[in-house]
């Protein structure tokens, strides 16, 4: 889902939907990112123009696990996580002071295919925080970033770190620390948008690992101060917007791995209706190792930020495939909303079998079948954190269709990066 910043490669994820759930499942969070213009490239690797189909939550190829023991893999867990949020896929990330063995491993980092870059909650990175150099702006002040979302914003410094995930390392890359600057430093103009989401509790995870198709979190837009999400803070105060070169922007860590850096695969097992927890695999690289070949999937060329074209019940929609959204989110007036605190989610009286079409910029078209279940019933056990069939209203984005985490259950979903002259694509 597009943040309120409408630049061509906007910053990260928007948190539109918060749900105080039943019976001790504390919060359901939908978070998503992306939205922008196509890079204009084309590539045979992004599909041949054939059609395909899929069923959200079906057994599919994703029912055969990819072993998470290889160096280019890391386990994904959908469970209680850091803050008892449902449908949040989490991995562990090790962050080190550049060029040293001074490191901290941080669990429960959300895997977000709708955003780009690593962001850590400062309250969960306390052990390593003081050892990570704060990036300096061209004017000499601390470099900070403000990321606006539909219901709030994050604010914090850009720092340099070595990032280790599984057996892969991205050395000396820019990451963002969320919540390490006082509230008094938040820029009055161009930043404040709802609440300041500065803690792990407010984020719903200990950090965000953005592994969407873009290389950086803002791109060309932030090389112009007038449209930049970045700020220079002399002495940590009086922050003002500043142009930032691509090399200094928060970067998708996978693009900086020595190998296996052209994309990722998200593999999660099937979930019939609900489960206490499930474990899958995040695989780095596509077609670079014996465990990451692109087989049995249809490729859809996307825009430079991962957008596809789609239709739902005859209406044209912009489509995103976003593991950072905890449900499928779209506009459908025929689906009844839940009551009370559940009003952002759908609560049909019986399961609703639906479908949407997806079309890539290469002309490839496929049909995705999915089922919407009653969200209140899904949450009623209070002990299930992997929920299939969870869906809700898209709110103020009626022309967007968000294939969130339920779409990933029982699938391999591939994200080819917009780097090194390659066309970005999504495949499943």
């Amino acid at each position: 889902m597009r943040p309120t910043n409408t630049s061509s490669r906007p910053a990260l994820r928007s948190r539109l939907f918060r749900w105080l759930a039943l019976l001790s499942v504390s919060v359901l969070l939908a978070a998503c990112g992306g939205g922008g213009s196509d890079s204009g490239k084309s590539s045979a690797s992004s599909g041949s123009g054939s059609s395909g189909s899929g069923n959200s939550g079906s057994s599919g190829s994703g029912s055969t696990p990819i072993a998470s023991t290889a160096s280019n893999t890391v386990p994904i867990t959908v469970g209680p996580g850091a803050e008892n949020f449902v449908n949040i896929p989490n991995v562990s990330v090790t962050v080190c002071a550049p060029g040293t063995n001074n490191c901290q491993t941080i669990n429960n980092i959300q895997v977000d295919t709708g955003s780009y870059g690593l962001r850590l909650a400062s309250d969960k990175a306390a052990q390593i925080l003081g050892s990570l150099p704060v990036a300096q702006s061209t004017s000499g002040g601390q470099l900070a970033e403000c990321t606006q979302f539909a219901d709030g914003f994050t604010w914090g410094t850009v720092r340099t770190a070595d990032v280790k995930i599984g057996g892969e390392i991205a050395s000396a890359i820019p990451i963002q620390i969320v919540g390490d600057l006082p509230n008094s430093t938040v820029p009055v103009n161009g930043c404040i948008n709802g609440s300041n989401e500065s803690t792990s509790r407010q984020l719903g995870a200990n950090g965000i690992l953005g592994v969407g198709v873009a290389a950086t979190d803002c791109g060309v837009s932030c090389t112009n101060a007038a449209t930049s999400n970045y700020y220079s803070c002399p002495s940590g105060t009086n922050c003002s917007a500043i142009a930032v070169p691509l090399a200094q922007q928060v970067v998708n860590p996978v693009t900086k791995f020595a190998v296996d850096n052209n994309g990722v695969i998200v593999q999660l097992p099937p979930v019939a209706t609900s489960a206490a927890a499930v474990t899958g695999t995040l695989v780095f690289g596509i077609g670079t190792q014996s465990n990451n070949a692109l087989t049995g999937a249809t490729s859809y060329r996307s825009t430079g930020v991962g957008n596809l074209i789609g239709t739902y019940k005859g209406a044209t929609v912009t489509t995103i495939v976003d593991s950072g959204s905890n449900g499928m989110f779209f506009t459908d007036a025929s689906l009844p909303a839940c009551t009370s605190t559940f009003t952002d989610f759908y609560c049909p009286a019986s399961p609703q079998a639906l479908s949407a079409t997806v079309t890539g910029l290469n002309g490839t078209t496929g049909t995705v079948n999915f089922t919407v279940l009653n969200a209140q019933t899904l949450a009623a056990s209070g002990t299930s954190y992997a929920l299939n069939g969870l869906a809700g209203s898209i709110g103020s984005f009626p022309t967007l269709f968000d294939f969130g985490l339920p779409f990933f259950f029982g699938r391999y979903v591939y994200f080819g990066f917009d780097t090194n002259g390659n066309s970005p694509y999504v495949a499943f």
Side-chain angles (χ1 to χ4, degrees):
M1 200 163 308
R2 180 188 292 272
T4 55
N5 180 325
T6 56
S7 61
S8 63
R9 192 168 282 182
L12 289 139
R13 46 204 289 270
S14 61
R15 271 171 288 280
L16 285 184
F17 310 101
R18 294 185 179 278
W19 179 17
L20 182 62
L22 294 175
L23 300 177
S24 80
V25 179
S26 63
V27 182
L28 287 134
L29 167 73
C32 46
S37 60
D38 178 33
S39 63
K41 303 169 188 170
S42 62
S43 171
S45 68
S46 57
S48 59
S50 61
S51 62
S53 64
N55 183 9
S56 178
S58 65
S59 58
S61 60
S63 60
T64 303
I66 300 174
S68 59
T69 55
S71 62
N72 67 324
T73 66
V74 66
I76 301 175
T77 300
V78 182
E83 300 294 342
N84 292 330
F85 281 53
V86 305
N87 282 1
I88 302 296
N90 290 300
V91 297
S92 294
V93 174
T94 297
V95 180
C96 306
T100 76
N101 292 321
N102 179 13
C103 304
Q104 179 184 356
T105 297
I106 305 173
N107 299 322
N108 296 315
I109 302 295
Q110 182 180 18
V111 177
D112 187 4
T113 62
S115 71
Y116 337 98
L118 177 62
R119 299 167 192 275
L120 301 176
S122 60
D123 58 324
K124 298 300 182 179
Q127 176 184 323
I128 192 66
L129 191 59
S131 301
L132 302 181
V134 178
Q136 299 297 302
S137 70
T138 53
S139 61
Q142 289 185 343
L143 186 62
E145 185 177 16
C146 179
T147 308
Q148 291 189 353
F149 309 113
D151 68 346
F153 64 94
T154 59
W155 169 248
T157 61
V158 176
R159 303 200 183 207
T160 304
D162 292 347
V163 175
K164 302 178 181 180
I165 315 173
E168 309 274 6
I169 301 175
S171 299
I173 64 168
I175 69 171
Q176 187 186 28
I177 302 297
V178 176
D180 64 334
L181 291 173
N183 290 345
S184 60
T185 65
V186 174
V188 174
N189 297 318
C191 181
I192 297 174
N193 177 57
S195 62
N196 185 352
E197 298 178 337
S198 59
T199 68
S200 56
R201 177 61 183 170
Q202 291 166 325
L203 288 174
N206 293 338
I208 306 163
L209 176 63
V211 291
V213 301
T216 63
D217 71 347
C218 188
V220 174
S221 293
C222 283
T223 63
N224 183 335
T227 54
S228 181
N229 301 325
Y230 289 88
Y231 292 77
S232 178
C233 302
S235 303
T237 59
N238 301 319
C239 303
S240 58
I242 190 170
V244 176
L246 294 176
Q248 284 188 273
Q249 293 181 21
V250 172
V251 66
N252 179 339
V254 182
T255 66
K256 296 301 182 180
F257 292 162
V259 294
D260 307 317
N261 55 21
N262 64 344
V264 298
I265 308 169
V266 176
Q267 178 267 319
L268 290 173
V271 174
T273 301
S274 63
V278 297
T279 300
T281 307
L282 176 63
V283 184
F284 305 117
I286 299 174
T288 61
Q289 305 276 357
S290 61
N291 66 348
N292 61 15
L294 201 169
T295 57
T298 301
S299 294
Y300 303 89
R301 186 164 71 87
S302 74
T303 69
V305 290
N307 290 357
L308 301 169
I309 304 164
T311 60
Y312 178 67
K313 291 189 173 181
T316 300
V317 290
T318 297
T319 299
I320 61 175
V321 181
D322 181 13
S323 66
S325 295
N326 71 336
M328 305 271 284
F329 291 100
F330 53 93
T331 297
D332 191 332
S334 71
L335 293 173
C338 301
T339 58
S340 186
T341 54
F342 297 83
T343 55
D344 286 319
F345 289 82
Y346 293 130
C347 281
S350 60
Q352 300 295 301
L354 302 168
S355 65
T357 65
V358 176
T359 302
L361 302 186
N362 53 340
T364 302
T365 297
T367 299
V368 178
N369 301 307
F370 61 98
T371 299
V372 174
L373 302 178
N374 186 297
Q376 188 164 340
T377 301
L378 283 172
S381 74
T383 58
S384 295
Y385 292 88
L387 307 180
N388 203 356
L390 182 64
S393 169
I394 204 68
S396 56
F397 298 87
T399 61
L400 187 68
F401 197 105
D402 179 358
F403 287 102
L405 195 73
F407 170 84
F408 289 76
F409 291 135
R411 278 196 171 92
Y412 301 152
V413 187
Y414 303 76
F415 296 85
F417 294 159
D418 184 18
T419 56
N420 301 321
N422 297 318
S423 293
Y425 64 90
V426 179
F428 52 87

